Amino acid sequence: MTKVNSRRFSRTRFYFLSLIVFQFCLTVEGVWPLPQSTTTSAERYALNPQDFNFNYGKYSSAQQGCSVLDAAFERYFSLIFPDLTSGNGVLPSNEENKFSLVVSVDQEDCESYPNEDSSERYRLSVSARQAALNAETVWGALRGLETFSQLVYQDDFGTFFVNKTEIEDFPRFQFRGMLLDTSRHYLPLQAILRTLDAMAYSKFNVFHWHIVDDPSFPYQSRTFPDLSSKGAFHPMTHIYTQSDVRRVISHARLRGIRVLPEFDSPGHTQSWGKGQSDLLTPCYRGGTLSGTFGPVNPALDSSYWFMAQLFKEVSSVFPDSYIHLGGDEVDFTCWKSNPDVRVFMQKMGFGTDYTKLESYYIENIVNITSALNKTSIVWQDVFDYNEHIPKDTVLHIWRGVPADYKAELSRITKSGHRVVLAAPWYINHIAYGQDWQNSYTVQPQNFSGTEEQKKLVIGGEVCMWGEYVDATNLSPRLWPRASAAAERLWSDEKQTSSVGKALPRLQDFRCKLLRRGVRAEPLFVGHCRHEYQGV
C-alpha cells in the first residue's frame, strides 16, 4: 500500500480549492464597473452558442425592429461568444442547452437619441436556461447587455458558462464623459468609432468631441466650407465630412452614447481665422499691425453674425441638447493692443477690465445657443470671470489640484449651477506605475457644501488632450486607465473605495478588453489567457 503524505495532500487540496475560489471571484464578480447590487451563486449554466438566443419580452414596449436593440443583439452575440468562428466552446445542440436572454423595456424609444434625462437603470436575473433583463429604456437595456456579456466566461476546455446571478444596477452620475481632441492631432474616423466601442464596455455615455482648436479646423462646415479647406491640416484627408459626423453620431447612439460637440471661443480659434477673414482680432505692436491675430474680435457685429450662423448649423447637425462653448484660456494681450477694441471698451463702460469684455462676448454666444434651444456647457473660466450666464448653463471644472477644484466645486454649486468635474481625470498626463489609482480614488462630491449643492455635480469626464496623442497611442493611453474613472462615476463609492480590491477586477477587465480587440496597456506584471492578437 502506498503511504500518502497527508500534509502534502492537504496543502495540494488547499491550493486547488483556492484556485477554484479565485477563479470563481474573477468570473462571477468580474463586472466593470461594479453594479450597485449583485447576488451570485456557485450554480452555473453551460451556454452553447448554437442554442443561445436573444428575445424580446412578451410585454416589452420594444419589439423586433427596434434599431438600437436589434443591432445590440447582433453585436453582443459576438462579444459573448468570441471564439464561435473557430468552433471552440460549441456543444452538441439539444433542448437542455437552450438558453434565452429575454429583454423587456418600459419605453419604446428605439429611434430616439439618449439625453441628459435618459434612465440607464436595469435589472438582470440569470437562472437555468434563461436570463431576464428588464429596463425602463433601451439605454438601460444596453447597459444590462454589457453586464451580461461580462458575466459569461470559459473554462479551460473552452465551454462557456454563466453563474446564477441577480443584479440591480443604475449609474451614480448621469454624465460620464470622455473628451477626444481631434485638432492637435487628427484622429481617423475608425479610431473614433473604436473608442466609442470601448466607451460602451465601461458604460461611458457622453463623447465630448473637442473637434476644433488653434492647430486645425477639421470639421467640414456646409455654411462656411473655407473653415476646413483652409484651416484643416489637409483639406481632403484630415477633415470630418458631414457623412463622417453622421456616422459618429449614429455609432454612438446605438451604444447609448451622446455626442457633445465643442466649438471653443473666443480663444483657441487661430485655425478659424484662416478660413474666415475679419473674425479674429488683429494684434498691434507699438501702434502698428504686427501681422498676428488674437481671439475672436468681440467688438464687431459681424463676429456674432458668424457665430449665429455656425451654431445654427451645428445645432442641426448634432442632435444632443448640449453644446460646449469653451470659453477658457483667453489671452487679453491682443485685445489690449488693438485701438478699435479699446474704443469699444470705453463705449461699453468696461474701462480697462477685459474680463468684462470676455463676459460680454460669452453672454452673447450663450444667448445665441439658448435661442436654438440648446443648453450651454462652458469651462470654469467663464464662472471665474463673474460672467452673467443663465442658471441652466453647465460649468466644466478643469483646473487645479484637489484643494483647488474642491473649492471651485463649492463656489459654483453655491451659485446654483450644475457642474461636470474633469480636473482630476486629465489622463493624457502619464506617470510611471499604476497611475490609474489616482483616477480611482477621486471623490467627486467630497467638498464643502450642502447636500443640495452636491446634487448639482452631474458627473465627470476623462480628458485625452492631443498634444502627444494620435491614433498610434490613443487606445493604450486611454485603456484601462479611463475605466478607473468609469467605475468612480457609475458605481457606489463605498463599495469601490479600495484600490487593492479593484486591481484584480481591473486586470480581469483589461483582459476582456484585449480579447475584444482593444489595445489596453498592462496594469502590472502578469498575463492574459487571450493576449492581444491585433498586431
Side-chain angles (χ1 to χ4, degrees), residues 460-515:
E461 182 174 274
V462 169
C463 296
M464 183 56 72
W465 295 100
E467 288 89 349
Y468 304 100
V469 176
D470 66 7
T472 63
N473 63 345
L474 174 65
S475 286
R477 191 161 292 192
L478 271 176
W479 311 108
R481 296 162 71 234
S483 302
E487 181 153 285
R488 178 57 54 243
L489 294 170
W490 179 280
S491 306
D492 177 79
E493 192 172 286
K494 292 180 180 178
Q495 295 184 56
T496 55
S497 60
S498 167
V499 293
K501 292 180 180 178
L503 178 58
R505 294 177 45 248
L506 187 55
Q507 287 175 317
D508 182 54
F509 181 66
R510 183 248 173 183
C511 290
K512 289 186 174 83
L513 292 178
L514 291 187
R515 199 171 189 194

Side-chain angles (χ1 to χ4, degrees), residues 213-270:
D213 206 298
D214 281 330
S216 72
F217 197 107
Y219 171 75
Q220 189 178 57
S221 168
R222 294 190 306 255
T223 312
F224 302 103
D226 281 351
L227 289 172
S228 61
S229 65
K230 296 180 180 179
F233 286 133
H234 190 282
M236 299 296 291
T237 59
H238 286 56
I239 61 170
Y240 301 108
T241 65
Q242 294 289 312
S243 176
D244 292 335
V245 173
R246 285 194 299 271
R247 188 169 176 191
V248 168
I249 293 169
S250 174
H251 198 87
R253 183 185 83 89
L254 292 176
R255 287 151 184 80
I257 297 172
R258 301 161 56 193
V259 179
L260 168 64
E262 180 182 357
F263 288 80
D264 190 358
S265 72
H268 291 279
T269 49
Q270 289 298 299

Side-chain angles (χ1 to χ4, degrees), residues 184 213-214 264 266-268 295 326-332 358 379 381-382 385 398-399 465:
R184 290 172 176 85
D213 206 298
D214 281 330
D264 190 358
H268 291 279
D328 63 316
E329 296 184 310
V330 181
D331 187 344
F332 297 148
E358 186 187 358
W379 296 109
D381 311 47
V382 173
Y385 286 143
W398 68 277
R399 290 180 186 269
W465 295 100

